[in-house]
Amino acid sequence: VSVAAESALPEVAWWVALAGLPGMGPARLRALQGEGPGAEVWATVAGGRVDRWPAVGEAIGRRAEEVTAAWESAARRVDVDATWAAHAHLTVSLLGSGAHPRELDDDHDAPVVLFAAGEPEAVSGPTVAVVGTRRCTRAGAELAYDIGRTCAAAGVAVVSGLATGIDTAAHRGCLDAGSDAAPPVGVVGSGLDVVYPTRSRDLWAEVPRRGVLLSEYPLGTSPARWRFPARNRLVAALADVVVVVESGSRGGPLYTVDEAIDRDRTVMAVPGPVRSPASHGTNQLLVDGIQPLCAPEDVLVALGLAAPRPSERGPGDPRPRPSADGRRVLEALGWEPATIDVLAARTGLGLGRLAVALDELDAAAWIHRDGGHLERKARP
Amino acid sequence: VVAVALRKPREEAVVRVSRARASTVLPARFLLVAATNPCPCGDADQPGRCRCSEAARARYRRRLSGPVLDRFDLRVGVARPDVSSLLAAEAGEPSAPVAERVARARAIAASRGVRANADIPAGRLDELTPLTSGAQRALEGALEHGRLTARGLARVRRVARTLADLDGVDPAAPLSVEVVALAMTLRDGGGRHLESVA
């Protein structure tokens, strides 16, 4: 590559190439950015002379020599022009150039480069992040959907990570809110062309059409485990309010909460049954003093977009009203999975009457049955 | 593999052994009782605790083929007991009265000329397992929605017959919607297939 051709590249192109080097994370990339313009940094990395920069060595930590050697050998094989050309269809912004979303430009842990598919302006209005465990309950997924739908319809963009479970449900609600609703904002931990998980394939396509899909990694980057906490910090940074719908006592959602508190974002948690492992984390957040969310509209109140929720009832449930036996079963079922023998003991109904009531509730979409376990559904 | 190999003997109650010189038919009437976890880690009944990926769960369930599952008449979901119920469990019904009820039901079956209701031949189903109109509607609905297969229908009627006999109702009365609904619930555990949460 001739020097003339190299100098024709925009500054951001060098950072795209640098972001694609093995073991490159946000902190290391920022340390490199502190050392000078992209073309010079690239030449230093490819020339194996990174040890000139103690700040970069500090950002790498242990085994700095190994890491920089890997960068060097990878950089020698990279064609910066071709890499840049491959990203032509995306909006690529560079930290400090004024092109980043404002929340990220100001962030103490900002991404050096940000790749956007779709409309980058989607993050400019009020935003809510809806996060939670991949292993959620049906009730949790339904509530996430309702929050996504209610917020999007009220003009609040829904930020989420496109993971299975709560993330996916929230975005589906957002997409179902109609064409003039606020856009979905997806933040992923791999290159924008590396769909993960594969079950999210349709969201991966739909989110950029209606809103924006963001990543700090170049095309082709695989979804390594360490990239998900990093992704979660971007979700927290982009949100005005972070809602945790369900979370176990450990896991990604709680990491997002830490990042959100760190950035003074409002955090809300949905109270759950005390024995449900999917609510252990959220209930503990409430014990720690996090604000509870008891209805999707509470997000709008927190954002100052709605008056506090009046205690009136919403529109009636469209499902056929259950029979007396059906109501007894629903009451006994509560919001945790149960088996038929547990229900028989709780209701005192004979198994035959119970089976008839379950068939009625199933036909009217009041319950969901799976492999001998019954769960109540919040809506048809 | 074993479950699949047992499919034919289970249906025909005989084992056919064919070797170079002879083919022998041996009686093989047996009751097959099997247990499985809901997922590889066994915690799928408690969302949030289960550590299995959706794909791992689906793979695990596929190991039991539909045709094999279709031959189990009773499938019962079992919840993990919590600590308090293990330490201070309520006493269940003693075995002696249960055994008495089973003996009575068996005697009723014998009076129909079969060893057990499971052996009622397809040709005698209408005669021995007549249906109330409510039961008829419930079965028609299940067939229409694909909840029951044709084989399942005959089996549900036999199980419902037994449930009615155990309840001590008039052995000649048509089967009620309750026993038919319970027989179907016991058969499919209420779940037709694995649905994803989101």
Side-chain angles (χ1 to χ4, degrees):
Chain A
V1 184
S2 73
V3 173
E6 279 174 8
S7 62
L9 283 170
E11 170 70 6
V12 64
W14 299 103
W15 295 102
V16 170
L18 285 160
L21 295 178
M24 187 61 75
R28 294 172 180 182
L29 205 51
R30 272 198 314 278
L32 286 172
Q33 201 189 13
E35 302 294 347
E40 274 172 36
V41 171
W42 180 262
T44 307
V45 167
R49 286 172 284 122
V50 177
D51 54 0
R52 286 168 41 202
W53 294 329
V56 176
E58 209 171 289
I60 298 173
R62 290 184 304 117
R63 300 194 302 173
E65 274 177 40
E66 224 173 286
V67 172
T68 51
W71 287 353
E72 180 189 343
S73 69
R76 289 178 187 281
R77 292 192 303 272
V78 172
D79 178 341
V80 180
D81 292 83
T83 304
W84 175 240
H87 291 80
H89 62 292
L90 301 172
T91 306
V92 188
S93 61
L94 180 68
L95 178 63
S97 70
H100 265 16
R102 190 174 37 77
E103 295 80 1
L104 294 185
D105 232 358
D106 297 344
D107 200 78
H108 67 267
D109 195 7
V112 172
V113 279
L114 189 69
F115 302 86
E119 177 48 71
E121 287 299 307
V123 298
S124 57
T127 49
V128 59
V130 183
V131 302
T133 175
R134 284 167 292 154
R135 296 171 282 267
C136 60
T137 66
R138 181 157 288 270
E142 286 173 350
L143 185 66
Y145 176 96
D146 287 346
I147 294 170
R149 191 172 177 145
T150 302
C151 289
V156 180
V158 177
V159 186
S160 206
L162 263 63
T164 319
I166 298 295
D167 283 18
T168 301
H171 264 154
R172 291 211 192 290
C174 171
L175 290 170
D176 285 351
S179 52
D180 51 355
V185 176
V187 186
V188 297
S190 58
L192 291 174
D193 58 338
V194 184
V195 178
Y196 182 87
T198 46
R199 287 166 49 113
S200 301
R201 189 171 294 280
D202 54 332
L203 271 185
W204 207 282
E206 192 63 15
V207 167
R209 266 202 289 275
R210 301 270 297 275
V212 67
L213 192 62
L214 300 168
S215 169
E216 59 180 318
Y217 305 108
L219 295 175
T221 306
S222 61
R225 193 167 279 265
W226 63 268
R227 292 206 171 94
F228 290 101
R231 181 269 313 267
N232 291 349
R233 94 187 188 285
L234 294 185
V235 169
L238 286 168
D240 296 321
V241 175
V242 174
V243 177
V244 195
V245 177
E246 280 184 329
S247 172
S249 41
R250 269 176 293 182
L254 298 184
Y255 188 89
T256 311
V257 168
D258 288 342
E259 296 287 334
I261 291 172
D262 209 26
R263 292 170 171 78
D264 284 331
R265 302 296 192 263
T266 302
V267 179
M268 306 179 88
V270 176
V274 291
R275 284 181 196 259
S276 169
S279 290
H280 282 169
T282 36
N283 285 342
Q284 187 57 47
L285 288 175
L286 296 172
V287 170
D288 294 345
I290 293 290
Q291 199 175 333
L293 178 136
C294 299
E297 292 77 16
D298 291 356
V299 175
L300 307 180
V301 177
L303 283 167
L305 297 175
R309 180 163 37 94
S311 56
E312 72 188 27
R313 288 172 49 107
D317 197 300
R319 292 173 286 191
R321 197 171 148 74
S323 63
D325 278 1
R327 287 201 298 278
R328 254 164 96 176
V329 171
L330 285 182
E331 206 166 298
L333 184 50
W335 294 98
E336 281 182 275
T339 54
I340 186 168
D341 52 327
V342 169
L343 287 180
R346 286 185 194 159
T347 58
L349 290 174
L351 285 172
R353 261 173 82 183
L354 185 55
V356 172
L358 290 176
D359 283 350
E360 171 211 329
L361 293 173
D362 194 11
W366 284 102
I367 58 168
H368 170 78
R369 306 202 270 194
D370 185 14
H373 295 283
L374 303 138
E375 276 193 86
R376 183 168 180 174
K377 293 170 78 169
R379 56 156 190 282
Chain B
V1 176
V2 176
V4 173
L6 282 172
R7 215 175 72 191
K8 292 301 279 183
R10 172 83 196 78
E11 286 277 289
E12 299 174 4
V14 293
V15 173
R16 288 174 208 281
V17 182
S18 298
R19 290 290 178 270
R21 294 191 187 175
S23 171
T24 315
V25 177
L26 301 167
R29 189 180 296 286
F30 62 94
L31 184 68
L32 179 58
V33 179
T36 178
N37 275 313
C39 65
C41 80
D43 282 329
D45 60 320
Q46 293 174 293
R49 178 161 295 169
C50 172
R51 297 276 134 203
C52 307
S53 71
E54 202 68 51
R57 278 198 232 181
R59 224 178 8 254
Y60 190 75
R61 295 216 187 190
R62 272 202 301 275
R63 287 166 59 183
L64 275 177
S65 76
V68 168
L69 274 182
D70 202 31
R71 286 168 169 80
F72 282 89
D73 287 339
L74 308 177
R75 278 158 61 190
V76 182
V78 183
R80 174 183 309 264
D82 58 39
V83 178
S84 56
S85 70
L86 281 177
L87 292 177
E90 280 179 46
E93 190 180 12
S95 299
V98 176
E100 228 170 83
R101 253 196 335 267
V102 170
R104 264 203 310 277
R106 286 261 170 177
I108 297 170
S111 74
R112 299 187 179 109
V114 292
R115 185 193 52 94
N117 290 333
D119 297 338
I120 293 174
R124 295 186 69 197
L125 275 175
D126 286 337
E127 168 205 344
L128 295 177
T129 66
L131 302 167
T132 59
S133 57
Q136 176 99 28
R137 270 198 306 278
L139 287 174
E140 280 166 4
L143 283 167
E144 271 169 32
H145 290 99
R147 185 178 174 194
L148 267 189
T149 61
R151 181 192 4 244
L153 173 64
R155 287 173 166 256
V156 160
R157 290 178 76 167
R158 295 183 183 116
V159 171
R161 176 75 272 163
T162 299
L163 291 172
D165 292 349
L166 285 169
D167 275 351
V169 302
D170 175 4
L175 297 174
S176 68
V177 62
E178 283 86 3
V179 292
V180 165
L182 181 55
M184 283 196 285
T185 294
L186 289 173
R187 176 174 185 73
D188 58 21
R192 275 132 287 177
H193 46 78
L194 180 69
E195 258 186 60
S196 65
V197 169

